[in-house]
Every structure is written in C-alpha cells, then in structure tokens.
C-alpha cells in the first residue's frame, strides 16, 4: 500500500511539474481530483496529505492548494484563491483593498483582500497568506461593468476607486470613516 501511495504522490508531482508556472500554481481539490478518477475519496485525501507532508503542495484553505515547486508571487495567492472559491459567481476586488492601493483610506491592507461577490458573504482564513473577505452584493454585473477592469496580476475583475467607494457606502462598512473624502471627491464619477 505504501509503495502504491508513494507512486501516486510522485505521479501527482510529475503532472504538476509539467503544467505549473509562475502564472498557474493554484489548484482546487477538484482540479487535482480529476487526475485520479479511480481512487477512493479516502485514498485521495491521504494522497493530498502526503503531498502536503512532502511540501510539494501547501494548503491555502479548505480545498485550495499551492504547488510550491514553481516560483509564484505570494501577494497573488489571495485574489487567485478568491477567484477559485467564487468561480460560479460574479466577483471583483473592491472596498478597502482598492481604496488602500489608491491611498484613499488611512488603513493598510497587508494580507487581507476584500471582494464583492454575488455569492454569499464570508471570511476565509488562508494561513500564512492572509485572509479573503467576501461581501455580498445584489448589484447586477451590467450596472457596474463600466466601473470594473481586468487586473492582470490577479486575473480578477477590479473596481475603479469610485466604484470601490460606492461599494463601501452601500455595504455600510465600519471603515467608511477612514476614507479620504477630499481624495474621493476628485475622482471622476463620484
């Protein structure tokens, strides 16, 4: 049994070595599960555990893993994790994350990313990588599409600062008092 399990871990590592890159390093459990269709769920979980023990995979949060054998930009892990976790919903980087990046809020956001989503709200702890906060929105994509752009680093949609501020107001964020209102007033579309 040990020999077969070890062969499975080596097989997983060889596949990941071939398909991973600095832009493709994050995998969901279901991504990895597809490589082992005939393996029972218990044996597959043991395989993942062994890969984590060998440090070829690192668990980011439940069901999301980083392949550690390729160089990756650590700051991209949270946004890419958010994209995987809410892949069936419209989601975009917004709120304090965008305002902080644009120096429009007096709060720094290291290790924390705020995401607006049509999915449910929640906070996902991602170990050493930080935290992803999802905030539910009922806005339709068509209503805000012109206020979003594709962020090339994360591969996610991102709000322009004026939209991030509107999201702060509509979400009734407790950090709203930290926003630089003079800077917000200078933004187009506010």
């Amino acid at each position: 049994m040990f020999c077969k399990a070890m062969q499975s871990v080596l097989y997983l590592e060889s596949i990941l070595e071939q398909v991973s890159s600095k832009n493709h390093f994050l995998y969901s459990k279901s991504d990895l599960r597809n490589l082992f269709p005939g393996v029972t769920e218990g044996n597959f979980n043991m395989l993942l555990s062994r890969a984590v023990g060998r440090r070829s995979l690192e668990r980011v949060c439940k069901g999301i893993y980083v392949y550690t054998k390729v160089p990756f930009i650590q700051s991209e892990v949270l946004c890419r994790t958010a994209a995987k976790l809410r892949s069936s919903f419209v989601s975009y980087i917004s709120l304090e994350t965008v305002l902080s990046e644009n120096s429009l809020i007096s709060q720094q956001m290291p290790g924390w990313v705020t995401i607006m989503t049509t999915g449910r709200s929640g906070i996902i702890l991602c170990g050493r990588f930080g935290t992803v906060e999802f905030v539910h929105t009922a806005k339709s994509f068509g209503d805000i599409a012109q206020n979003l752009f594709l962020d090339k680093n994360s591969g996610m949609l991102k709000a322009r600062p004026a939209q991030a501020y509107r999201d702060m107001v509509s979400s009734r964020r407790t950090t709203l008092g930290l926003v630089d209102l003079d800077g917000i007033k200078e933004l187009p579309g506010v």
Side-chain angles (χ1 to χ4, degrees), residues 95-185:
L95 303 163
E96 292 91 349
T97 299
V98 170
L99 295 179
S100 178
E101 289 174 358
N102 288 276
S103 301
L104 293 169
I105 193 167
S106 61
Q107 181 181 33
Q108 295 298 309
M109 301 294 295
W112 191 285
V113 65
T114 48
I115 308 287
M116 295 297 289
T117 181
T118 56
R120 63 187 164 104
S121 295
I123 294 177
I124 308 296
L125 303 176
C126 298
R128 72 179 181 94
F129 298 105
T131 304
V132 176
E133 181 181 5
F134 291 105
V135 178
H136 175 75
T137 182
K139 293 176 186 157
S140 74
F141 180 71
D143 291 341
I144 58 170
Q146 72 277 7
N147 299 318
L148 306 176
F149 65 96
L150 181 63
D151 180 56
K152 291 178 181 159
N153 292 329
S154 67
M156 280 190 79
L157 291 173
K158 189 179 235 182
R160 298 189 192 290
Q163 181 63 46
Y165 176 70
R166 285 191 289 277
D167 290 339
M168 291 274 294
V169 172
S170 67
S171 301
R172 297 185 190 110
R173 301 291 283 181
T174 59
T175 53
L176 196 55
L178 301 175
V179 174
D180 173 10
L181 293 178
D182 291 333
I184 293 292
K185 288 176 188 172

Side-chain angles (χ1 to χ4, degrees), residues 3-65:
C3 185
K4 192 170 188 174
M6 193 58 170
Q7 288 174 344
S8 296
V9 170
L10 294 174
Y11 172 72
L12 173 65
E13 290 174 350
S14 71
I15 294 294
L16 292 177
E17 183 66 31
Q18 293 172 40
V19 300
S20 299
S21 68
K22 69 177 185 169
N23 294 317
H24 186 70
F25 55 85
L26 195 76
Y27 299 92
S28 69
K29 185 177 178 180
S30 62
D31 294 336
L32 300 172
R33 183 74 175 104
N34 290 331
L35 299 172
F36 298 91
V39 175
T40 66
E41 192 64 28
N43 285 343
F44 178 68
N45 288 334
M46 186 184 319
L47 168 68
L48 289 179
S49 179
R50 289 196 175 157
V52 169
R54 288 172 52 88
R55 294 193 171 105
S56 54
L57 287 180
E58 181 176 351
R59 184 177 181 270
V60 177
C61 63
K62 184 178 180 180
I64 305 291
Y65 297 87

